[in-house]
């Protein structure tokens, strides 16, 4: 469990860092004399997709991915726990159901290449498999009692 969580954290950090660097290059490319390569558009999209893939499982583990506060907040603590478990079961079931389709999608992308990078697209399309596997894994972890709290100070301020 800890290894997968660490992998997702580092993946999120790497994806976000890549996105920041590439977007910075794009913004600087608007300055006369500073080049902005065409491949930065694709890399920015890929980094954003990987950011979602690596962070969605962490959000599930913290109970932050699927939550309707207007419905859940007024409930008593016991009812909130029940609703949270129902949501975990629904996310787990949905994720498990779409994993075979995600595998087929990844298999179908073998041989495709990104246009501006000449990079194998299977490395990008594998995200469609990472997301449901991550959601299933962390939903199961929550159901088994490994849920985590959001960091202190996290949340909206009114």
């Amino acid at each position: 469990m800890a290894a997968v969580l660490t992998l997702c954290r580092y993946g999120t950090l790497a994806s976000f860092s890549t996105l920041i660097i590439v977007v910075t290059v794009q913004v600087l490319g608007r300055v006369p004399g500073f080049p902005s390569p065409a491949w930065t558009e694709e890399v920015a999209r890929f980094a954003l997709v990987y950011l979602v893939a690596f962070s969605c499982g962490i959000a599930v583990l913290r109970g932050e991915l699927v939550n309707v506060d207007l419905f859940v907040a007024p409930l008593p603590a016991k009812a909130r726990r029940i609703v949270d478990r129902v949501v975990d079961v629904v996310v787990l079931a949905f994720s498990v159901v779409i994993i075979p389709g995600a595998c087929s999608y990844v298999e179908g992308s073998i041989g495709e290449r990104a246009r501006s990078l000449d990079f194998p697209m299977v490395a990008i399309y594998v995200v469609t498999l990472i997301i449901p596997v991550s959601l299933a894994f962390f939903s199961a972890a929550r159901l088994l009692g490994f849920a985590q709290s959001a960091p202190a100070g996290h949340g909206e301020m009114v």
Side-chain angles (χ1 to χ4, degrees):
M1 167 74 170
V4 175
L5 185 58
T6 300
L7 175 69
C8 286
R9 285 182 177 149
Y10 282 117
T12 299
L13 182 61
S15 301
F16 195 59
S17 298
T18 301
L19 186 60
I20 289 170
I21 291 167
V22 170
V23 170
T24 301
V25 169
Q26 289 175 328
V27 169
L28 291 174
R30 299 190 187 281
V31 174
F34 196 93
S36 180
W39 55 261
T40 58
E41 278 298 317
E42 271 189 318
V43 173
R45 281 193 300 271
F46 299 158
L48 185 59
V49 171
Y50 266 96
L51 177 64
V52 170
F54 284 120
S55 63
C56 69
I58 297 170
V60 166
L61 193 62
R62 293 181 179 176
E64 296 176 321
L65 184 65
V66 178
N67 201 354
V68 182
D69 286 339
L70 293 174
F71 171 71
V72 178
L75 296 174
K78 185 176 180 180
R80 273 192 303 244
R81 283 192 298 276
I82 291 169
V83 169
D84 286 344
R85 295 304 72 80
V86 169
V87 168
D88 292 338
V89 168
V90 169
V91 170
L92 176 61
F94 179 75
S95 299
V96 168
V97 166
I98 66 172
I99 287 173
C103 284
S104 296
Y105 187 74
V106 172
E107 288 171 3
S109 72
I110 294 174
E112 291 183 36
R113 301 195 68 79
R115 291 184 182 202
S116 65
L117 293 172
D118 195 30
F119 187 77
M121 286 301 291
V122 71
I124 306 308
Y125 290 146
V126 77
V127 168
T128 61
L129 185 58
I130 292 172
I131 292 171
V133 168
S134 178
L135 290 173
F137 179 82
F138 286 110
S139 294
R142 275 182 60 87
L143 286 168
L144 295 172
F146 292 102
Q148 295 181 349
S149 299
H154 180 75
E156 296 179 17
M157 304 215 18
V158 179

